[in-house]
Structures are given as C-alpha cells and as structure tokens.
Amino acid sequence: MTSAPISSPAPLHADLLAQWMLREDVIFLNHGSFGAVPRTVLAEQDRWRHRLEAEPIELLGRRQPELIAAAKEPLGQFLHMRPQDFGLVTNATEGINAVLQSLRFSPGDELLTTNHVYNAVRQSMRHIATRQGASYREIPVATPVENGQRIARTIIDGLSDRTRLLVIDHITSPTALVFPVEPIAAACAARGVELLIDGAHAPGMLDLNVPATGATYYAGNLHKWACAPKGCAFLWVAPHRQADIHPCVISHNYGQGLAAEFVWQGTRDASAWLTLPAALQFMADLGWERIRYHNHALTVWAHAMLCERFAVSPLSPIDGQLLGATATVRLPDPLTHLTDDQAKALQQSLYTDHRIEVPLFGWQGAQHLRVSCQVYNRPADYHRLADVITAVARDL
Ligand SMILES: Cc1ncc(COP(=O)(O)O)c(C=O)c1O
C-alpha cells in the first residue's frame, strides 16, 4: 500500500451517494461491516430473482453449474484465481468454517491466530479445537504497531512446533490494520504450517492476487468492498489441498472436486452470486485503481484528522502504511473509558440522534471507533463525526 499525502482526495464523481441504496440523511461510515450495494446492482439481483422464479428447474436444476461458472469467471480474473481452485460461498465465515470443518486435528495440535482475530472466527476455531482435542492460542500483536515487519516478526516468532494451522486476517476487524501476509505465508510454508487467510475485507479494498499471497486457504467477501449483494463470498484452496476440503453443506457433488462440490450445496438463492459480474463491472466502470486510491487517501486523511481532533495517539503509523480503506481511532477522554454497554448506547445515539452510522469497539481496555472510506463518502462526513464526538465528550 503506497502512502498518500495527508490531504483529502478529490471525489471521483459529484453525486455518488445517490447511486447507492443508502439513506441520504445518514452519514454512513460503516461500509466495512456489511458493505452497501449500488442501485443498479440491486436491480440486477432483482432481475435474477425474477428469472430464477420464472424458470426454477431450467435455471437451478439444469443450468446452475453453467451459470455459476459464468459468474466465477470475472471474479477469477479480478483476483487471479483459476476457476477450479475456488468455490462461491455465502460469506467469509462460511468459507472459513468449510476449511476448519474439513481439517482433522490430533490431540496436541495447535490452532493459532492473533488477538486481532474477528470474534466469529475465534469462536469457530475454539469450537473445532475443543471438538477435536486440539488447542487454541492467540499471539498478542501489541498496538501501537511500528510497521509491517514488526507484525510479521511477532507472528512468525509466535509459531510453535505444535502449530498445525495459522489463521490471520488480511485486514483486521477491530484494529483495521493491513497485515503483511506474504512473509508470514513464506515462514509457514518453510515450517510446514498451513495458513488460512481471513480476507473478509480485502477483495476490492486491496489490489489482490490471491494465489500470490502464498496462503493454503483464502476466504474473501464480495459483499463488502466489491459491492456485490449480501451473501456473496468465495473460498480459494491451494491445489495440493483441494481433495480434503469440502463445503460446510455436503450435497450431491461430494467427491467430484472442489469447484463442483461448491456449486451445489442444497437449494438456495443463487441471485447474489449471479449478480457478481454486474457488481464487478459497476466498480470497474468507476475504475478500480481510482477507487482504491480515493478510499485509501481519504482513510489516511480521516485517520490523521480524527487522531488530532481527539488528541489521541494512532494505533499505526500516521502515514497510513498499514491502512487500507478503514481506520480505527481511540475515542477521546472520557469516552474511551466507557463500559461496553455505554459504548453500545453511544453508538445507537450517534445513529438515532445524530444520523451517523459508525461502529465502536473495545480494544485493549479502551473504546475506539472505526471509520470506513468508500467512494460515496466525503471529508465533511468525518468532520461532522469529529464535531459530534468531541461535543459528546465535552458534555459527558
Ligand atoms: C476480519 C473479518 N473476518 C470475518 C468477517 C465475517 O464476515 P461475514 O459476516 O461476511 O462472514 C468479518 C466481518 O466483518 C471480518 O471483519
């Protein structure tokens, strides 16, 4: 990720918010949680739903493999994946669970991750470790972090002789850091440790070549930063491990290879997957490079501005070298000392009373907020957030 000067970028177009389904009276700073879908993409999904209901047997019964193959093609090109090496799933959680449920662990094996892990993934790993008599451990990666090398060194030094599987986030959820996955993957390969990358936020946010990460397994969402409809994600598996990996739902195509098994996981609404080409095209028409430049530059600027307005230290370098299109910032005193319940109430009040949607997180005993920066956001959105938060902090 190249660093950008700390000034806000020019918008790509004047009125992009109107092209999304989002309410115009809400300042939406949480693209990261569930994404947000453009109007034309939702209209395309509606068309698919109508087509599927008009010809259910023809489209789902006979042509689903062909339709899914067509939907996978532009995704494969976008992320440099061969069609036989990945399957579509509903969300990153499902992709990660497919891997965890497929693997066999022995007593003494260790499932390893970091303390930045997404909580749902933590629970999945704990569940599998408990059921199979293996152990679960988190490597503490302390913040503030100086640079990517420090993160990689901490994680590599945290591997043990018992580690069978390492799970790392490509972009962490609570701390919004881009982890340096390639050196970590190289160290895992050298030690015979399998690496599962949780890339929930990466497709569309980063210029991503999935196989080149060096991961054994890579799960990514398309309903976040690729702006596909909700329920659109993928799981990529390195060729040498594909025979052992199966979808969470085993169905007719069991044993027919990774791509075939993921095509049919029981009757389900395939419209989000079938709309994927339209979503990728919508974003490509805006220009992926321009989108990424804009979103990163806005993030670097908003991160620095919020740290200054809140008078707090950043979790990562202020030049933005560890940021993508999201940034986590500590809340100013006294808000940073709120309990989790009080922070939850504040988040609701930001939405209800101030029409600002932004997530608050507890991290290492202090309350933080995380801003997302998508092409429909403007610098004024973050100034308004800073004004409201500083006023709330002053009046507490
Ligand atoms: C790092 C990370 N992993 C996994 C997920 C889960 O994504 P989903 O709910 O789409 O499965 C998220 C969601 O925000 C996330 O941030």
Side-chain angles (χ1 to χ4, degrees), residues 32-34 90-96 116-121 168-174 198-201 219-224 231-233 370:
S33 280
F34 306 130
T90 304
N91 49 58
T93 309
E94 184 185 318
I96 289 163
H116 298 241
V117 67
Y118 185 65
N119 191 49
V121 176
I168 52 167
D169 304 280
H170 205 158
I171 295 142
T172 61
S173 176
D198 173 356
H201 291 269
N221 275 328
L222 302 157
H223 51 232
K224 290 186 192 280
C232 195
R370 186 187 73 190

Side-chain angles (χ1 to χ4, degrees), residues 109-282:
D109 285 350
E110 179 180 74
L111 283 77
L112 185 65
T113 185
T114 76
N115 58 334
H116 298 241
V117 67
Y118 185 65
N119 191 49
V121 176
R122 168 185 288 126
Q123 306 303 1
S124 304
M125 292 178 72
R126 288 182 54 224
H127 174 65
I128 295 294
T130 306
R131 281 187 69 175
Q132 300 201 20
S135 62
Y136 168 83
R137 182 164 64 90
E138 295 180 7
I139 303 164
V141 178
T143 51
V145 283
E146 285 160 35
N147 52 44
Q149 290 95 306
R150 177 58 70 95
I151 296 172
R153 179 58 28 223
T154 304
I155 294 175
I156 293 165
D157 287 349
L159 295 169
S160 80
D161 292 343
R162 296 166 49 213
T163 309
R164 260 287 312 283
L165 177 74
L166 173 68
V167 179
I168 52 167
D169 304 280
H170 205 158
I171 295 142
T172 61
S173 176
T175 44
L177 302 173
V178 181
F179 272 10
V181 293
E182 287 86 358
I184 298 169
C188 285
R191 297 169 71 145
V193 172
E194 297 202 328
L195 174 65
L196 166 56
I197 298 183
D198 173 356
H201 291 269
M205 191 198 287
L206 304 179
D207 187 6
L208 179 62
N209 179 328
V210 167
T213 60
T216 323
Y217 314 103
Y218 194 109
N221 275 328
L222 302 157
H223 51 232
K224 290 186 192 280
W225 297 88
C227 293
K230 287 164 189 50
C232 195
F234 71 91
L235 174 68
W236 177 91
V237 179
H240 70 285
R241 294 297 292 130
Q242 287 173 10
D244 286 332
I245 304 300
H246 307 281
C248 292
V249 177
I250 302 294
S251 189
H252 296 299
N253 296 352
Y254 181 60
Q256 294 180 24
L258 185 91
E261 288 195 30
F262 278 87
V263 161
W264 191 261
Q265 302 176 51
T267 309
R268 50 165 79 181
D269 180 358
S271 63
W273 297 341
L274 300 177
T275 306
L276 178 57
L280 293 175
Q281 192 58 52
F282 177 89

Side-chain angles (χ1 to χ4, degrees), residues 300-317:
V300 176
W301 167 81
H303 176 238
M305 184 276 287
L306 291 170
C307 285
E308 195 185 327
R309 291 282 309 271
F310 296 170
V312 294
S313 314
L315 296 183
S316 63

